[in-house]
Amino acid sequence: MSIYAYATALARVYKSQTLTRGTINELLESEDWKDAISILREKGIISETPSSILDFDIMIKRRSLEILRKLRGYTLSSSISSSIVDLYEFFFKLDDLEALIASAYFHNSSPRLSILTELMELKPQSYEDVLASLKGIERDALKYAIDKSVKKTPSEIGSFLEYYFIKSLSKIVEEMKGDWKGKADEIICGYKDYYTVSLAYNLKVQEDLTCKISRDVVRDIANSTNEKEVLDLLTRTPYSKSISGLDVYSALASLKRVARINARNASLNAFMGSPFTPVTVMAIAELIRLDTEDLITIVNGLALHSVDKVKSSVSFELI
């Protein structure tokens, strides 16, 4: 049996539990966020009722991490698959890493953490204190982000932490061969463009990681002097028909949503080809990530009575 068979078999089980357009519509029709929670309990997505929105956010993130860790247990014989799952686990720790960075920068009290709970008592006085408390991917990512950052602010470092995720995932994909590489690249294509363009606009940094957007466009965005220039550049990319909004941030939000929709479709398609590959593992990890983000967006949106905004944010094309 292929070394990828066990991980893929487990991934297919989890795929059957992922969100559908029908479930999304049912949630969006809820009277309030508590009704949505009841639906999620009925469907077995969560096992208990959270007492607050924050508790729900933590609960759903921890559920997703638990699934990823089970998945990783079946990937030990495949270094590629293990590395992919490790990166997605890292992604779910980003909020906590950014909280630690902010605590060190502003010299606040111990940060509130939902995943890296072993660091709850940490009171970092510097970025070095945070680095010393971490290991593995988390430490490597933070060191990379601090080194890349010019101003060393929490927001700037946070941007590079997010970029580290897609940069590292792309490196794994580049080392794949044949059909594996093509299917995996379809999953992350939009993300490469979104994160690189975001860095170019927000931090005036030029990175080479792109898919459909040319490096010349990235360079011009990084060198732009006003919003109109950036909007004009974005409307000349392959994403032009999907980009909406009168300002750059709205346009970037549209670009991110396109990336997420395409990633969901590509992940679902990855299950229709040859079985037993690391791409199947990447696909389920991406679906877990998308489901988690969508559920948090929907429940928070219902609490804020902003359903229309939620509809334009989730990774589904809704009518």
Side-chain angles (χ1 to χ4, degrees):
M1 180 178 284
S2 165
I3 62 173
Y4 306 115
Y6 295 110
T8 303
L10 186 63
R12 289 184 185 280
V13 172
Y14 288 130
K15 175 188 173 279
S16 67
Q17 302 172 2
T18 58
L19 294 179
T20 64
R21 187 175 284 103
T23 299
I24 292 292
N25 284 324
E26 188 176 356
L27 291 170
L28 290 172
E29 291 171 1
S30 302
E31 290 292 328
D32 55 36
W33 74 273
K34 292 183 178 180
D35 284 344
I37 294 297
S38 297
I39 292 172
L40 294 176
R41 285 204 64 180
E42 290 171 5
K43 293 182 178 295
I45 294 175
I46 58 175
S47 58
E48 56 187 86
T49 302
S51 59
S52 67
I53 296 291
L54 180 59
D55 284 343
F56 171 76
D57 291 359
I58 294 173
M59 180 188 299
I60 205 69
K61 285 181 182 178
R62 288 178 177 172
R63 169 188 178 270
S64 298
L65 267 176
E66 182 181 351
I67 296 173
L68 283 172
R69 285 165 181 165
K70 286 181 180 178
L71 182 61
R72 194 191 188 288
Y74 287 86
T75 66
L76 297 179
S77 59
S78 166
S79 60
I80 297 176
S81 295
S82 295
S83 296
I84 290 169
V85 177
D86 286 346
L87 279 170
Y88 276 92
E89 282 195 40
F90 158 74
F91 182 85
F92 280 101
K93 298 172 184 176
L94 279 175
D95 287 344
D96 282 5
L97 287 172
E98 290 175 10
L100 286 166
I101 286 299
S103 179
Y105 186 80
F106 294 108
H107 303 293
N108 292 339
S109 57
S110 300
R112 180 167 184 173
L113 308 175
S114 60
I115 305 300
L116 299 173
T117 52
E118 69 275 13
L119 302 179
M120 285 284 284
E121 300 304 316
L122 185 67
K123 296 180 180 179
Q125 298 301 302
S126 66
Y127 293 154
E128 286 70 26
D129 288 347
V130 181
L131 278 170
S133 70
L134 301 172
K135 59 184 179 180
I137 291 179
E138 289 76 34
R139 190 180 191 285
D140 292 343
L142 182 54
K143 187 176 186 309
Y144 166 85
I146 292 172
D147 289 344
K148 292 285 288 186
S149 175
V150 175
K151 297 180 179 179
K152 311 299 182 187
T153 60
S155 61
E156 194 170 278
I157 291 173
S159 294
F160 282 112
L161 279 172
E162 292 182 8
Y163 190 74
Y164 179 89
F165 167 76
I166 194 62
K167 179 183 177 71
S168 300
L169 200 56
S170 297
K171 185 177 180 180
I172 293 174
V173 172
E174 284 301 314
E175 295 173 355
M176 293 180 179
K177 306 294 183 182
D179 289 344
W180 289 10
K181 185 177 185 300
K183 290 180 179 295
D185 205 42
E186 286 179 10
I187 295 174
I188 64 172
C189 175
Y191 290 132
K192 292 195 289 187
D193 288 334
Y194 167 72
Y195 284 113
T196 298
V197 167
S198 294
L199 283 181
Y201 176 68
N202 292 315
L203 302 181
K204 301 301 180 184
V205 172
Q206 296 181 49
E207 294 289 345
D208 294 335
L209 192 64
T210 58
C211 182
K212 295 181 180 179
I213 292 180
S214 72
R215 293 178 184 178
D216 288 343
V217 169
V218 174
R219 179 200 62 212
D220 290 344
I221 289 175
N223 293 327
S224 64
T225 58
N226 58 67
E227 285 201 357
K228 186 178 183 303
E229 286 182 32
V230 179
L231 288 171
D232 287 344
L233 287 164
L234 290 175
T235 56
R236 295 202 295 270
T237 69
Y239 300 100
S240 59
K241 293 182 179 179
S242 303
I243 291 176
S244 60
L246 300 176
D247 59 80
V248 175
Y249 287 105
S250 296
L252 289 176
S254 297
L255 182 57
K256 183 178 183 179
R257 188 184 182 219
V258 171
R260 297 180 73 246
I261 290 174
N262 290 346
R264 180 176 289 278
N265 292 336
S267 295
L268 292 171
N269 289 338
F271 286 93
M272 300 174 67
S274 301
F276 314 147
T277 74
V279 180
T280 315
V281 175
M282 178 184 285
I284 194 60
E286 178 62 27
L287 289 171
I288 290 169
R289 169 195 179 184
L290 291 169
D291 283 357
T292 304
E293 292 175 335
D294 284 348
L295 287 174
I296 290 174
T297 297
I298 290 170
V299 171
N300 280 268
L302 287 169
L304 296 172
H305 306 289
S306 56
V307 175
D308 288 341
K309 186 175 181 180
V310 169
K311 289 180 178 179
S312 63
S313 301
V314 294
S315 60
F316 288 84
E317 293 179 291
L318 303 175
I319 299 175

